[in-house]
């Protein structure tokens, strides 16, 4: 869908983004805090977008309903507005009810003084070849969004895609980042995390790639996600303190600039700890071709090991270590094993009334954490597969094609040693675009998935395949768990023309 925008001109982009930039400037002023439920609803809005545009559901109407009545999708040839025109856009680009194409990550949300919000997300477009055709990266960049609160819930007021482009000389208007906002909630007790704590840490972690890739604010956007004495360690590099972190982020590689997109992260697993919280996040470095003949490719990847602490300004990263993907059991014992999700504590104070049959904010966050733990458990085989099995109910099942694995013991055996190379550093399964919906028995979900073989020892990395999951979740005494998960491989089924 985005290929036609590759030749977008700087002048056209600057004009089209005027509204986004104006809202972003507002966000730097005093803005009312968004509630945990607001963040959840905006996350769910954005996560629905890829399904609506890739599948063209309900003749494109599923896409149109994501926008406010006067909402705008901006493209090079002009703005698209109104339900009929927006639905027509989705129909024009739909790829079929199994296709996975738009993978969104690193979603940053900021409140604005008018009671609305703005946002950014990284996008990588992946083509999974049918019938043996090669898989490839089609393109990538980021979205600049304006969200509006409507009687029907949060909707897009404006959305524009900006292709990745290196260089500081570009003149395209793109929304600047405001200082990080606190989420409306009282502080939680030590060694526990509330819904708002999880969401604040998510927002913190989502800012990191933008700071690193763009070098924004002379590197201070990147340094600002750390404590003043924060540490980043990756390979032989160890950078400590605000000034050194800013210096590291600003101009650390050629091509950097306000539109540059390179570091993608997902599968954000957050756990409470005595000093605050810890995190594990999958990361992939993707070189996005910029229409000059250079190919897009997977450069490398692995995962982050994080320590977060509460400060007077909110949650910050105390330390972050990047560990490249590596197969095998013979690795450093200093890598903590992933753990099953903890129950999420409700925010203190008055909470919004949740209608019968609906999900509370803490339900969404608990389900998010279960889904984020799944790739770690599958790839590492943690605890001889017991961690993977613990994410399911005792009678839970994983289904893929004709294969059905049901029950705790079989799930353990499947996860442990199910493929060569498995180990505590192994990274292979990335998922994103998680949509969660209440159901009579608990909740259902969808998530896009891509399998990436990350080359070791100089070997090239490659896309192995992808598609989406269809999930059923139930609430147990241990928290939310997966009752059934089915993987459906991506297949392009273009509609008749």
């Amino acid at each position: 869908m985005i290929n036609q925008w590759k030749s977008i001109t700087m002048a056209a982009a600057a004009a089209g983004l005027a509204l986004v930039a104006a809202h972003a400037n507002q966000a730097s002023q005093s803005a009312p805090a968004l509630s945990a439920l607001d963040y959840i609803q905006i996350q769910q809005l954005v996560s629905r977008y890829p399904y609506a545009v890739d599948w063209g559901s309900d003749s494109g109407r599923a896409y149109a309903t994501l926008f406010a009545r006067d909402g705008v999708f901006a493209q090079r040839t002009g703005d698209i507005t109104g339900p009929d025109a927006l639905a027509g856009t989705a129909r024009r680009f739909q790829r079929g009810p199994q296709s996975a194409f738009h993978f969104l990550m690193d979603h940053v949300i900021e409140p604005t003084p008018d009671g609305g919000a703005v946002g950014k997300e990284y996008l990588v477009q992946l083509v999974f070849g049918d019938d043996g055709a090669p898989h490839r990266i089609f393109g990538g960049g980021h979205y600049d969004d304006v969200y509006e609160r409507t009687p029907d819930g949060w909707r897009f007021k404006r959305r524009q895609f900006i292709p990745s482009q290196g260089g500081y000389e570009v003149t395209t208007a793109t929304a600047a980042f405001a200082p990080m906002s606190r989420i409306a909630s009282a502080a939680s007790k030590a060694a526990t995390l509330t819904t708002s704590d999880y969401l604040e840490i998510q927002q913190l972690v989502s800012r990191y790639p933008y700071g690193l890739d763009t070098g924004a604010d002379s590197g201070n956007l990147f340094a600002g996600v750390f404590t003043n004495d924060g540490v980043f360690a990756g390979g032989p590099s160890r950078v400590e303190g605000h000034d050194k972190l800013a210096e590291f982020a600003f101009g650390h590689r050629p091509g950097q600039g306000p539109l540059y997109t390179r570091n993608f992260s997902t599968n954000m697993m957050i756990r409470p700890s005595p000093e605050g919280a810890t995190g594990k996040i999958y990361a992939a470095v993707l070189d996005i071709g910029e229409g000059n003949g250079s190919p897009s490719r997977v450069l490398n990847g692995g995962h982050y090991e994080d320590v977060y602490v509460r400060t007077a300004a909110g949650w910050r990263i105390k330390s972050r270590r990047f560990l490249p993907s590596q197969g095998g059991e013979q690795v450093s014992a200093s890598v903590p094993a992933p753990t099953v999700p903890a129950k999420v504590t409700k925010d203190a104070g008055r909470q919004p009334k949740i209608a019968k049959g609906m999900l509370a904010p803490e339900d969404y966050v608990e389900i998010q954490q279960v889904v984020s733990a799944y790739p770690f458990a599958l790839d590492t085989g943690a605890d001889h597969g017991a961690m993977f099995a613990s994410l399911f109910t005792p009678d839970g099942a994983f289904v893929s094609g004709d294969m059905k694995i049901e029950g705790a013991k079989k799930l353990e055996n499947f996860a442990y040693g199910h493929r060569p190379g498995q180990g505590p550093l192994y990274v292979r399964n990335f998922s994103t675009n998680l949509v969660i919906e209440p159901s009579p028995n608990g909740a259902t979900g969808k998530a896009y998935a891509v399998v990436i073989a990350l080359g070791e020892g100089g070997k090239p990395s490659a896309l192995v395949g992808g598609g989406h999951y269809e999930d059923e979740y139930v609430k147990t005494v241990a928290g939310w768990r997966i009752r059934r998960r089915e993987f459906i491989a991506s297949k392009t089924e273009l509609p008749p023309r």
Side-chain angles (χ1 to χ4, degrees), residues 49 63 72 101 104 144 168 174 184 191 208 271 313 356 406 432 449:
Y49 184 93
Y63 179 81
V72 172
F101 183 62
L104 298 177
D144 271 317
Y168 285 100
T174 184
Y208 178 96
R271 299 291 180 266
K356 185 178 180 180
E406 189 170 10
T432 188

Side-chain angles (χ1 to χ4, degrees), residues 55-372:
W55 297 5
S57 303
D58 195 18
S59 297
R61 286 186 287 272
Y63 179 81
T65 59
L66 300 178
F67 290 79
R69 290 187 177 276
D70 59 349
V72 172
F73 178 70
Q75 61 175 8
R76 181 178 59 86
T77 54
D79 290 351
I80 299 173
T81 188
D84 292 342
L86 288 165
T89 297
R91 286 196 300 271
R92 188 164 77 251
F93 294 109
Q94 72 184 97
R95 300 166 58 84
Q98 286 185 210
S99 178
F101 183 62
H102 288 76
F103 285 71
L104 298 177
M105 304 178 214
D106 304 312
H107 184 192
V108 174
I109 302 167
E110 297 173 337
T112 57
D114 60 2
V118 294
K120 287 179 182 287
E121 310 86 44
Y122 272 13
L123 166 69
V124 60
Q125 296 163 304
L126 303 178
V127 173
F128 299 107
D130 294 332
D131 302 320
H135 311 310
R136 71 185 194 277
I137 299 173
F138 182 81
H142 80 272
Y143 285 109
D144 271 317
D145 294 341
V146 176
Y147 312 115
E148 180 178 74
R149 198 191 306 263
T150 77
D152 298 319
W154 285 95
R155 295 293 186 268
F156 292 108
K157 176 74 171 178
R158 183 180 180 87
R159 159 160 279 210
Q160 180 160 1
F161 174 74
I162 309 296
S164 178
Q165 179 180 334
Y168 285 100
E169 71 282 358
V170 298
T171 57
T172 302
T174 184
F177 283 88
M180 279 182 285
S181 300
R182 303 298 302 271
I183 297 174
S185 168
S188 60
K189 297 178 182 178
T192 67
L193 296 177
T194 68
T195 307
S196 292
D197 289 325
Y198 280 95
L199 292 168
E200 277 196 25
I201 294 171
Q202 287 176 4
Q203 290 299 298
L204 173 75
V205 171
S206 292
R207 284 174 173 247
Y208 178 96
Y210 297 91
L212 184 60
D213 292 342
T214 67
D217 192 20
S218 299
N220 285 295
L221 174 61
F222 177 82
V225 304
F226 290 83
T227 59
N228 287 333
D229 60 349
V231 175
F232 170 72
S237 301
R238 188 179 190 277
V239 187
E240 183 172 359
H242 183 97
D243 291 346
K244 292 291 186 182
L245 288 164
E247 182 181 343
F248 169 76
F250 183 61
H252 79 289
R253 58 164 286 104
Q256 193 177 49
L259 305 187
Y260 196 52
T261 301
R262 181 179 170 90
N263 286 274
F264 291 77
S265 60
T266 188
N267 304 344
M268 195 181 303
M269 196 168 73
I270 301 164
R271 299 291 180 266
S273 72
E275 67 174 317
T278 61
K280 291 178 181 283
I281 298 97
Y282 272 17
V285 181
L286 309 178
D287 275 336
I288 306 296
E290 297 183 7
N292 55 7
S294 58
S296 297
R297 61 186 179 129
V298 180
L299 188 61
N300 58 52
H303 83 275
Y304 294 114
E305 293 277 346
D306 291 350
V307 174
Y308 314 113
V309 294
R310 295 183 184 92
T311 74
W315 284 95
R316 295 295 186 270
I317 300 173
K318 176 72 172 177
S319 68
R320 163 162 281 198
R321 180 167 54 142
F322 175 72
L323 298 166
S325 178
Q326 177 184 332
E329 299 289 345
Q330 294 76 33
V331 297
S332 168
S334 66
V335 181
T339 58
V340 296
K343 283 192 174 182
V344 177
T345 304
K346 291 183 180 181
D347 285 331
R350 185 176 181 180
Q351 298 301 308
K353 185 176 180 180
I354 305 299
K356 185 178 180 180
M358 303 303 288
L359 299 173
E362 60 269 19
D363 294 321
Y364 284 96
V365 172
E366 277 197 21
I367 294 170
Q368 286 175 352
Q369 288 301 299
V370 170
V371 171
S372 292

Side-chain angles (χ1 to χ4, degrees), residues 67 116 127 390 433 472:
F67 290 79
V127 173
S390 72
N433 303 342
E472 296 175 12

